[in-house]
Amino acid sequence: MPTSFVWEAVFWVLGKCYVNSFLAALSGAPPHQLSPFRAMTSITNTDGPVADCGTSDSKMMERSSPLGGAVSDSPIVQLQRSLTDIVAIKRDLGQVAGGEKPHVVDNMTTNLRDSLLAALARLPGTRTFHLHVLLTSPRKHTGLFPFATPRPRTYLQDILVLLSEQRTGDAPRKFVSALEAHVYTVPSTRSAILYVSKVDSTGHASAPSPTYCLARTLIAFYADPGTRPLAVEHVWVHLFARAQGQYLFPNSAEYEGKRPLSDIRLCGWWKRVFEDVEKGLRDKGTMRLYYVLPGYGESEAVHALSSGSNCGSTGSWIYGHPYSQTEITLPCPAGKNNLGHFIPSFEDDPKSRFMDEIAYTTDGDVESPRRKRRRTETGEESSRALGELSKVSADEFWERMSFRQECVAGAVTGFFTLGISSSSRAEMMGQVAWQLEKRVLTTLTLQVEFSTEERTIRGTEIVEGAIRRLCEGIGRGETTSSGVVDSGSTSLSTYYSDIYGSVEVRNEWAGGGTAGTGAMVRVLTARKKKQ
């Protein structure tokens, strides 16, 4: 018995050494050799570390922490990744043997990430995009209509879209665009609100910039009943346009290659985004477009936007607010006749601050409450909290908004609203815990900066690495300072199926040729006079 045990141990050690050497050979292979379909498809949906084709071999074995430095993977994690590679190779080889095509994202997409990748694939030029989409799971929210009585039950989801660009196969990734939005769902009226809060770029993108494509595709995804992942019939899209040097990329305004749009050009830019969305959804339901430039009359706004843009208006715009119409149901159920039932409150929005001021103004005096949004909805305290909301109409509200300092302080601002009424079917998408999205946003805005090209490359590596590690850790039930984060199905499978994706763009420009092959510029010099 002891002899047989010794021989079993010897064979077990030899077998383990053989397996380890085989796995090491696999993990040491270049990333493009792990999947034979990387160069065949324009949009790839990889299932494993193969997706990180822009990283070097050393970075496959070493991970950077959000606070700097390197964190080496444990042998168990390396073994899991190697096994994932084996499964991916086996699946790909099985598809080749069976005559099946590799998974390619097409126009019939089912989640936001694939819709964005499909739109990016149509951009002209030669480059590779790496996309991260974080969509949080729904949670209760009481701040959308804080002055409505009673308050409607509302659920909130946060969206964070991060796009990096890689010009060649061995070039580093650099963040080029980012977008933050929020989705509010009101089940009682079968309505939803998409509020686009921040859009930013770094100035490192190749022409044309993908920011316009991201904004248009995101709005169309939630407005289109064929792709909308919500069981609602009425969708409202709200946006407040205000020009600033930076929003989501710290110190990016210091980069000399970044050229933010001016105030009037930014309003014209967003107007064209909404027009493109409306053009693609004209036959899919009742739709209305509204916009207001505080301090401008209708004729003045039309002239200002037409002179600040390259093309005229093509949408069926209504200059004003949507709170007097009855064609498309408003999100808040009918209740007491006060302004709090019509105008939603968003974070960092001038309308919300003005609503708070009106709600706590009584008999011409402004009252400073202990808590702005009280939970009490009965008695004298509740009536005092409503202030003059029942006396101010929607028309008067927007007329008074024209005199607010943050709307007329030397810069042109704009409020844009799109409403669409059409039935849709909800499909579950890959979601993450809101704590994960908040930690990624904190890392992006507080721990990195984008003032130079080197810092942009470093910041991109840190944030993209943090997203993957958070998905890995929380998928195993990672414990944070606020307790155990319950992220449902959040794991590496969700990371590769709904969060991360890449697209290789190899398209010609409209005038022919690819990106970077422009016409030669000849400079004429003055002829010197002979002595």
Side-chain angles (χ1 to χ4, degrees), residues 1-165:
M1 178 66 66
T3 304
S4 60
F5 176 78
V6 171
W7 280 110
E8 289 177 357
V10 171
F11 283 118
W12 181 84
V13 171
L14 292 176
K16 183 175 178 60
C17 293
Y18 176 79
V19 172
N20 288 340
S21 62
F22 176 73
L23 294 179
L26 282 179
S27 62
H32 65 272
Q33 294 181 2
L34 295 178
S35 176
F37 307 108
R38 185 58 175 152
M40 294 169 54
T41 60
S42 59
I43 304 178
T44 57
N45 181 18
T46 53
D47 296 321
V50 182
D52 291 331
C53 62
T55 57
S56 61
D57 294 342
S58 61
K59 292 177 183 176
M60 296 289 291
M61 304 298 296
E62 189 175 61
R63 302 180 289 121
S64 300
S65 67
L67 299 178
V71 179
S72 299
D73 289 331
S74 63
I76 296 179
V77 174
Q78 295 180 15
L79 179 60
Q80 291 176 346
R81 292 182 177 176
S82 300
L83 293 176
T84 305
D85 293 341
I86 295 175
V87 173
I89 294 174
K90 182 178 179 181
R91 183 192 65 249
D92 293 343
L93 293 177
Q95 290 175 344
V96 172
E100 300 178 3
K101 296 182 179 180
H103 176 76
V104 180
V105 179
D106 55 13
N107 294 330
M108 300 300 294
T109 55
T110 58
N111 61 16
L112 177 59
R113 184 207 63 177
D114 291 345
S115 295
L116 293 173
L117 288 176
L120 292 170
R122 294 189 289 269
L123 291 178
T126 302
R127 48 188 165 173
T128 300
F129 290 114
H130 299 272
L131 181 71
H132 288 82
V133 178
L134 296 177
L135 173 66
T136 65
S137 55
R139 63 184 186 275
K140 290 184 179 180
H141 181 71
T142 59
L144 184 62
F145 295 99
F147 304 111
T149 52
R151 292 182 185 176
R153 185 177 58 180
T154 307
Y155 296 93
L156 169 63
Q157 292 179 280
D158 300 319
I159 301 175
L160 180 62
V161 178
L162 298 173
L163 180 67
S164 60
E165 180 180 306

Side-chain angles (χ1 to χ4, degrees), residues 426-437:
E427 293 186 4
M428 186 63 65
M429 296 170 53
Q431 301 169 353
V432 301
W434 68 270
Q435 294 96 331
L436 187 149
E437 188 267 348

Side-chain angles (χ1 to χ4, degrees), residues 112 115-116 119 122 212-222 277:
L112 177 59
S115 295
L116 293 173
R122 294 189 289 269
Y212 186 92
C213 179
L214 288 181
R216 180 192 59 199
T217 306
L218 173 70
I219 296 175
F221 180 79
Y222 279 93
V277 173

Side-chain angles (χ1 to χ4, degrees), residues 381-397:
E381 186 174 301
S382 176
S383 62
R384 291 177 61 189
L386 295 178
E388 297 184 351
L389 288 177
S390 59
K391 302 178 183 179
V392 179
S393 64
D395 293 333
E396 182 182 354
F397 175 85

